[in-house]
């Protein structure tokens, strides 16, 4: 999906526009930690084109001065986006800060669409002419609070989207990413993986379209590690902020089939780990939990079991995710990682037979009758798998309102008991039979 970033000095109305573009997509229902997305990254749609959008204004870098802040935000937009919406404000006209942002954006050579916000009525259109001086062509007058002009602005934005080429040539490759807070050992893990004897790393120059990813082969299967360059390069000031690392994680999760949630064994599980894992679950990606730095933990026979229980307690929603204990430094159990990724990926795109599935469900109903509501009992007619990545099932019933969360959970458990699906979330949707 193309990525659009909104930049501009504070108070020009960036988040108002962000929220308008994102619409209700941002409200997420599931009861999983971390799913109330930080309102900096979400998806939008215009004229059937789906894209992701970043509000760089939501990313603040320490207590740097004003001008430095907006410079960082502009750099983030340049690094992360395919198209940039440069927002200004008709009330204050062109300011020095606008000119500063313009300079950076101009040098980047990324496509920029200039928006002038707070043009709330036609009489105010006069004000936009000053903005031609910023050097990005026609300024688009908009009104965030009145919702005016957005259509024309988005028309101009999608005009700049990269044209779809033969982008689907790596659909058969297993794409995975390593997600976790700084210093859990993601880059060390990547290096350890790439150094494995049976791993063959593709010749980057020749084969990789997207230089930030790394392609490899293992057992004759092809894999792509998403965003490996981003993982290894460190140095820009904003890379250390939590919001930015969340943004990178969300972008990587989006492009992955399998997400490795990396936890530092020395430090245990913290809130940010849960949040990141929550994103992966919510996005419907396969998940493997990786406990790194296992070498640094003092242990006896019980330590691993105890740590595993701790993980299960913290990540109740990830009960399907396998856990691997390893060390990037000593390389212990590194060789188990790729086979685990393969397993999770296979289950992620597993299709089961409809008749077997229905036998499982009918047995389940016989064992534990469906819920009732106001004297009416839920009747399950049949179940069918409608999709993969993640496996998605539709349960056809008499009245969907009677379905209860706990009963859905029970059915999911029966499906898992029958088919496994280790490593992947599955989705159950309840629909009325027509
Ligand atoms: P990243 O920020 O998640 O990419 O983390 P790095 O890969 O840069 O690792 C952070 C620090 O942890 C470095 O000093 C590594 O040497 C160290 N480290 C990484 N993996 C291990 C491990 O398995 N065991 C131990 N003891 N240290 C590790």
């Amino acid at each position: 999906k193309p990525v659009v970033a909104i930049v501009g000095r504070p108070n020009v109305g960036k988040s108002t526009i962000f929220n308008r573009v994102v619409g209700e997509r941002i409200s997420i229902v599931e009861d999983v930690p971390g799913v109330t997305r930080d309102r900096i990254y979400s998806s939008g749609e215009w004229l059937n084109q789906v894209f992701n959008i970043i509000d760089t204004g939501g990313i603040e870098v320490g207590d740097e001065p004003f001008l430095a802040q907006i410079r960082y935000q502009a750099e983030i937009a340049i690094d992360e986006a395919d198209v940039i919406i440069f927002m200004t404000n008709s009330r204050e006209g062109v300011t020095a800060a606008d000119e500063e942002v313009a300079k950076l954006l101009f040098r980047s050579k990324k496509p920029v669409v200039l928006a002038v916000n707070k043009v709330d009525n036609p009489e105010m259109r006069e004000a936009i002419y000053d903005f031609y001086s910023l050097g990005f062509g026609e300024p688009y007058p908009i009104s965030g609070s009145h919702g005016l002009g957005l259509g024309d602005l988005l028309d101009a934005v999608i005009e700049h989207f990269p044209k779809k080429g033969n982008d689907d040539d790596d659909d058969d490759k297993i794409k995975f990413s390593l997600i976790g807070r700084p210093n859990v050992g993601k880059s060390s893990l990547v290096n350890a993986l790439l150094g494995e004897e049976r791993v063959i790393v593709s010749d980057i120059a020749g084969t990789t379209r997207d230089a930030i990813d790394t392609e490899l082969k293992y057992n004759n299967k092809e894999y792509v590690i998403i965003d490996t360059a981003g993982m290894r390069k460190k140095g820009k000031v904003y890379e250390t902020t939590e919001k930015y690392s969340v943004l990178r994680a969300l972008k990587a999760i989006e492009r992955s089939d399998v997400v490795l949630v990396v936890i530092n064994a020395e430090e245990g599980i913290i809130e940010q780990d849960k949040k990141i894992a929550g994103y992966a679950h919510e996005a419907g990606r396969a998940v493997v939990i990786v406990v790194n730095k296992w070498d640094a933990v003092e242990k006896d026979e019980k330590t691993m079991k105890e740590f595993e229980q701790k993980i299960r307690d913290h990540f109740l929603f990830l009960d399907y995710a396998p856990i691997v204990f390893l060390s990037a430094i000593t390389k212990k159990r590194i060789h188990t990682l790729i086979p685990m990724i393969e397993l999770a990926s296979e289950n992620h795109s597993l299709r089961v037979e409809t008749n077997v599935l229905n036998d499982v469900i009918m047995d389940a109903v016989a064992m534990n009758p469906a819920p009732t509501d106001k004297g009416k009992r839920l009747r399950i007619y049949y179940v069918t798998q409608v999709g993969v990545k993640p496996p998605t099932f539709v349960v056809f019933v008499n009245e969907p309102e009677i379905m209860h969360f706990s009963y859905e959970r029970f059915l999911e458990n029966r499906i898992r008991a029958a088919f496994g699906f280790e490593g992947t979330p599955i989705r159950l949707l309840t629909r009325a039979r027509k």
Side-chain angles (χ1 to χ4, degrees):
K1 276 191 237 171
V3 176
V4 179
I6 311 179
V7 288
R9 60 193 165 80
N11 290 319
V12 287
K14 293 186 292 298
S15 24
T16 312
I17 297 301
F18 176 80
N19 288 330
R20 282 215 178 253
V21 172
V22 164
E24 304 96 63
R25 287 167 167 269
I26 205 153
S27 61
I28 283 147
V29 284
E30 262 186 282
D31 187 17
V32 170
V35 293
T36 29
R37 292 201 171 186
D38 304 74
R39 288 177 166 250
I40 50 164
Y41 188 74
S42 195
S43 52
E45 192 178 330
W46 181 246
L47 301 177
N48 286 324
Q49 300 230 42
V50 184
F51 53 89
N52 288 321
I53 181 156
I54 306 170
D55 174 9
T56 64
I59 304 171
E60 279 182 23
V61 185
D63 35 41
E64 300 270 335
F66 172 80
L67 260 188
Q69 289 293 353
I70 49 182
R71 221 176 287 135
Y72 292 138
Q73 289 166 2
E75 280 172 26
I76 289 170
I78 293 164
D79 278 359
E80 304 294 334
D82 298 300
V83 183
I84 296 168
I85 298 176
F86 176 14
M87 282 215 13
T88 58
N89 183 330
S90 68
R91 300 275 165 83
E92 285 106 62
V94 177
T95 68
D98 291 335
E99 279 164 356
E100 187 70 23
V101 173
K103 238 187 284 169
L104 283 168
L105 296 181
F106 200 73
R107 264 187 255 134
S108 82
K109 303 202 162 55
K110 288 255 169 144
V112 173
V113 179
L114 177 62
V116 183
N117 193 25
K118 306 196 186 174
V119 181
D120 297 337
N121 57 59
E123 292 87 73
M124 295 169 76
R125 285 185 70 105
E126 285 291 300
I128 70 172
Y129 295 102
D130 283 349
F131 291 87
Y132 274 99
S133 70
L134 289 171
F136 293 104
E138 190 188 345
Y140 287 83
I142 57 174
S143 166
S145 50
H146 296 63
L148 302 172
L150 268 185
D152 289 342
L153 177 68
L154 291 176
D155 282 348
V157 167
I158 62 178
E159 188 83 358
H160 290 290
F161 282 172
K163 298 285 167 277
K164 284 212 185 82
N166 296 344
D167 247 19
D168 301 327
D169 61 327
D170 55 19
D171 255 13
D172 49 337
K173 295 178 183 142
I174 300 175
K175 301 190 211 85
F176 68 95
S177 53
L178 294 87
I179 305 298
R181 61 201 143 98
N183 283 318
V184 291
K186 299 178 297 295
S187 343
S188 310
L189 273 169
V190 168
N191 288 330
L193 274 181
L194 299 182
E196 264 204 281
E197 210 169 312
R198 296 171 64 197
V199 167
I200 303 156
V201 182
S202 306
D203 157 19
I204 306 271
T207 53
T208 320
R209 230 181 323 104
D210 205 338
I212 64 173
D213 301 336
T214 302
E215 303 194 359
L216 58 92
K217 247 190 201 165
Y218 184 92
N219 262 350
N220 270 320
K221 269 218 167 74
E222 292 182 287
Y223 295 82
V224 183
I225 315 181
I226 300 296
D227 198 19
T228 20
M231 219 172 296
R232 274 178 274 181
K233 109 181 160 225
K234 284 179 185 123
K236 294 190 178 164
V237 180
Y238 52 79
E239 281 174 357
T240 57
T241 66
E242 188 190 325
K243 282 268 166 98
Y244 183 76
S245 61
V246 167
L247 170 71
R248 289 307 292 243
L250 289 174
K251 271 186 87 179
I253 289 169
E254 178 105 26
R255 298 178 52 222
S256 304
D257 300 309
V258 183
V259 173
L260 308 184
V261 173
V262 186
I263 292 170
N264 181 344
E266 283 183 303
E267 289 172 1
I269 301 147
I270 63 162
E271 206 45 42
Q272 205 186 337
D273 295 327
K274 280 203 217 174
K275 210 164 157 179
I276 287 168
Y279 290 134
H281 172 82
E282 178 204 320
R285 301 304 186 249
V287 175
V288 175
I289 298 172
V290 179
V291 181
N292 186 36
K293 309 200 188 182
W294 196 239
D295 61 293
V297 173
E298 227 182 281
K299 44 191 169 294
D300 56 34
E301 329 71 71
K302 281 190 279 179
T303 316
M304 195 183 279
K305 269 260 158 304
E306 283 165 4
F307 205 100
E308 182 172 346
Q309 193 51 51
K310 220 186 283 172
I311 291 175
R312 294 299 175 209
D313 292 345
H314 274 94
F315 299 97
L316 289 174
F317 57 99
L318 284 183
D319 52 1
Y320 52 82
I323 306 172
V324 190
F325 293 82
L326 47 66
S327 167
I329 295 293
T330 67
K331 311 255 167 33
K332 192 149 184 190
R333 278 191 292 274
I334 282 285
H335 65 277
T336 63
L337 198 50
I338 296 185
M340 201 57 103
I341 294 167
E342 187 187 354
L343 172 81
S345 150
E346 271 177 6
N347 287 331
H348 195 224
S349 46
L350 182 66
R351 276 181 196 280
V352 301
E353 271 184 64
T354 305
N355 52 346
V356 185
L357 176 66
N358 280 280
D359 287 348
V360 168
I361 295 297
M362 291 315 146
D363 283 352
V365 175
M367 187 164 107
N368 178 7
T372 54
D373 184 41
K374 298 191 190 93
K376 223 185 246 168
R377 184 173 295 283
L378 180 74
R379 281 194 55 125
I380 295 177
Y381 297 114
Y382 61 99
V383 182
T384 181
Q385 182 171 2
V386 294
V388 292
K389 292 188 174 188
T392 304
F393 303 89
V394 173
V395 184
F396 287 97
V397 301
N398 53 344
E399 292 190 33
E401 304 76 49
I402 313 178
M403 179 61 99
H404 192 265
F405 171 77
S406 62
Y407 201 71
E408 261 177 359
R409 190 76 187 173
F410 164 71
L411 294 179
E412 171 174 345
N413 287 339
R414 298 316 299 164
I415 293 175
R416 286 191 182 279
F419 304 105
F421 286 118
E422 188 181 10
T424 180
I426 64 181
R427 300 243 197 274
L428 290 191
L429 312 169
T430 305
R431 294 282 146 77
R433 190 181 67 175
K434 300 225 175 72

